[in-house]
Amino acid sequence: MIHPPSRLAEDFGAPDPSKWMALVDKTLKGQAFDDALVTPTADGLAIQPLYTAQDGVAVARDLRARDAVRPWDLRMPAAHPDPRQAAAEIMKDLENGAASVLLALDPAGVNGVAVGASQDLALALSGVLLDLAPVALDAGFLGPKAADWLGTLAKAAPNAPLAFHMDPLTAFAQAGASPGPIEGHLVSAATVGARLSDTYAKASLMLATGRAAHEAGGSNTEELAVMAACALAYAKALARAGLSMQEAFSRITLGVSLDAEYFTGVAKVRAARALWARITDACGVSVPAVIEARSSQRMLTRADAWTNLLRLTAAGFAGAVGGADAIVLGAFTDAIGLPTAFGRRQARNTQLVLMEESHLGRVADPAGGSWYLDSLTDQLARAAWGGFQAIEAAGGIVKALESGLVADIVDATRAAQEAAFADKSRKILGVTAFPNADDKPVEVATPSTGDFAVDPPNVRVPGPDSRCPPLTPIRFSAAFEGAQA
């Protein structure tokens, strides 16, 4: 026997906003509604205490069917200065649940694996089947050379899922200078990318991200605006190198940073997709966005580092629910030093629990239809679009960086956020809120970086150096951690 569905809400009258407001006014006892209940974000957006159908907006949605077993790419970072140790860690990660690797390269062995030539990269990737396991690079100005090395190691396997991730603009923004004109580095990256695209049909060539703005203390919309401007600059560079605009956009990956504010993170990933749709449509092409989400470094603490596990879990949750294609979670000890095997296992297992036990990938766009999250997505996208337009009006991302436009905006936002942490209107768990009196140092790996340094290749391009005010990475908790910072 088939029973008709129960209508539980029929016993209640239609909701009356005026009655709710009357109760709110009574509770506030004279306090202003906006001051007491409306929460401003670092972007200047307003988070309301209640959302209704009137707040619903139409936003770009990703309704692609996701793999039930592997709904996103679990990507593990590798940065140990010893290429042999890095290779061992990579293989351990791949054997225990990771699907791909993000390899940071630094010939000095300070901020990545000491790689200065193709043979060094071969050591770092020893045992990795490049035609099966995606390998992404984080190589700064070394990007074009590293891309060639990786292409050589792949032995012309046309379906190798390589992610060359060339990104000279982020390297320029963080360093404040480039060895030779930054435009020359754009040309070099695009030229190498166009050549490699002929061989590797599935390879991603460029990474367009606003990570430099985020890690320097910028807001979500500032990060998204820089991301959008970088994406357009890379698409133009690839088109000048001979790719069609359709092909150029299809070879760009978007990078989004995620911190512990998971609702905002969900909305930011969705807003990145909306911005991409707007830009590609304006360029007359239709290409779905591919998004790599990385956990924020600026949110991590040295004091009570165990609380970073909560922050990283929130970031991973936001990336999964927001629909990121690849998620990179750092280790909970990253603010102190390189992770041990335990730290890497925690980073892997955090994603595995979100994926295999919480089943976060089983629903396409689970945030869709939430008046709050749709509204926040729309607000972020619109504000970021305005920032993107300002960057383009200044002559594009290169000019906006060189003139200090981006740095000035980010500096102001960083100062405002630091002030909020200082007066404790925003709190840092384990540092300014509930500090752990029994905090004990966590174990980290302590390699001697100087033992692995190699001669760096020449990455200079002809012409005078370009300069800009640097977007220097920060950690918000550093000011409160005393001698630990």
Side-chain angles (χ1 to χ4, degrees):
M1 182 176 181
I2 299 176
H3 297 279
S6 298
R7 305 291 184 183
L8 299 180
E10 290 178 351
D11 293 336
F12 298 89
D16 186 346
S18 64
K19 291 182 179 179
W20 181 78
M21 279 301 303
L23 291 172
V24 170
D25 290 339
K26 181 180 179 180
T27 304
L28 291 179
K29 297 178 181 178
Q31 285 183 284
F33 179 89
D34 286 353
D35 293 340
L37 297 179
V38 177
T39 304
T41 71
D43 311 276
L45 308 180
I47 306 297
Q48 300 294 330
L50 178 69
Y51 287 81
T52 69
Q54 294 179 342
D55 300 300
V57 292
V59 298
R61 300 186 62 187
D62 178 19
L63 298 177
R64 293 175 296 172
R66 304 176 81 178
D67 188 297
V69 178
R70 281 283 171 169
W72 67 84
D73 181 343
L74 195 170
R75 182 164 290 172
M76 281 292 293
H80 196 285
D82 181 3
R84 292 178 175 83
Q85 178 61 29
E89 292 179 348
I90 290 169
M91 291 306 299
K92 186 75 171 179
D93 291 334
L94 293 174
E95 291 167 359
N96 289 275
S100 67
V101 58
L102 174 64
L103 192 64
L105 305 184
D106 177 14
V110 176
N111 296 309
V113 187
V115 169
S118 178
Q119 59 267 29
D120 301 328
L121 186 61
L123 279 178
L125 294 174
S126 178
V128 179
L129 301 178
L130 296 179
D131 56 340
L132 297 177
V135 171
L137 299 176
D138 186 355
F141 290 119
L142 191 61
K145 291 186 181 297
D148 268 334
W149 299 337
L150 182 58
T152 300
L153 291 179
K155 297 179 180 177
N159 292 320
L162 307 176
F164 297 115
H165 272 15
M166 289 181 283
D167 184 16
L169 290 171
T170 294
F172 177 53
Q174 290 186 325
S178 60
I182 184 58
E183 291 87 350
H185 287 278
L186 277 172
V187 171
S188 175
T191 302
V192 170
R195 173 166 45 78
L196 290 170
S197 70
D198 290 336
T199 302
Y200 299 104
K202 295 182 178 180
S204 167
L205 303 178
M206 317 291 277
L207 177 69
T209 178
R211 184 175 72 253
H214 171 86
E215 297 294 1
S219 70
N220 292 314
T221 56
E222 289 157 7
E223 176 194 347
L224 289 172
V226 171
M227 176 207 75
C230 288
L232 184 59
Y234 288 149
K236 289 180 177 179
L238 289 170
R240 287 193 295 268
L243 272 64
S244 69
M245 194 60 77
Q246 177 85 16
E247 178 75 358
F249 275 110
S250 70
R251 297 305 188 107
I252 296 172
T253 297
L254 296 181
V256 175
S257 302
L258 296 174
D259 57 23
E261 297 179 358
Y262 49 84
F263 281 134
T264 308
V266 170
K268 180 158 67 168
V269 174
R270 298 172 82 228
R273 203 173 296 279
L275 287 168
W276 175 267
R278 182 80 178 270
I279 292 171
T280 53
D281 182 66
C283 293
V285 300
S286 178
V287 178
V290 176
I291 298 176
E292 178 194 80
R294 298 189 195 180
S295 59
S296 167
Q297 292 293 305
R298 76 182 194 189
M299 72 172 176
L300 299 180
T301 67
R302 304 187 85 176
D304 199 1
W306 296 101
T307 60
N308 290 328
L309 290 170
L310 301 175
R311 299 180 180 95
L312 292 164
T313 300
F317 174 90
V321 174
D325 298 278
I327 300 177
V328 184
L329 293 187
F332 75 101
T333 59
D334 278 351
I336 303 171
L338 289 171
T340 61
F342 174 75
R344 298 186 69 82
R345 180 162 65 88
Q346 289 292 331
R348 290 192 309 269
N349 287 354
T350 296
Q351 288 206 56
L352 289 173
V353 170
L354 293 172
M355 183 185 296
E356 298 179 1
E357 297 185 24
S358 300
H359 303 293
L360 294 186
R362 291 297 183 95
V363 178
D365 192 22
S370 163
W371 298 320
Y372 164 46
L373 287 172
D374 279 350
S375 175
L376 184 56
T377 298
D378 185 64
Q379 285 181 287
L380 286 173
R382 289 181 183 277
W385 185 259
F388 165 66
Q389 288 180 309
I391 290 172
E392 291 305 303
I397 185 62
V398 170
K399 296 297 183 184
L401 288 170
E402 290 178 330
S403 69
L405 171 67
V406 174
D408 288 346
I409 294 171
V410 169
D411 286 348
T413 302
R414 184 197 67 247
Q417 295 201 77
E418 288 174 335
F421 286 118
D423 67 18
K424 295 190 177 180
S425 57
R426 292 183 66 184
K427 296 178 175 61
I428 305 174
L429 180 65
V431 181
T432 64
F434 306 107
N436 183 3
D438 298 323
D439 184 27
K440 295 179 177 61
V442 296
E443 185 180 356
V444 295
T446 55
S448 177
T449 57
D451 293 344
F452 307 107
V454 295
D455 291 334
N458 183 14
V459 296
R460 174 170 291 280
V461 297
D465 294 355
S466 294
R467 300 192 180 279
C468 70
L471 298 177
T472 305
I474 64 164
R475 281 190 311 106
F476 282 126
S477 65
F480 309 99
E481 291 172 326
Q484 290 182 311

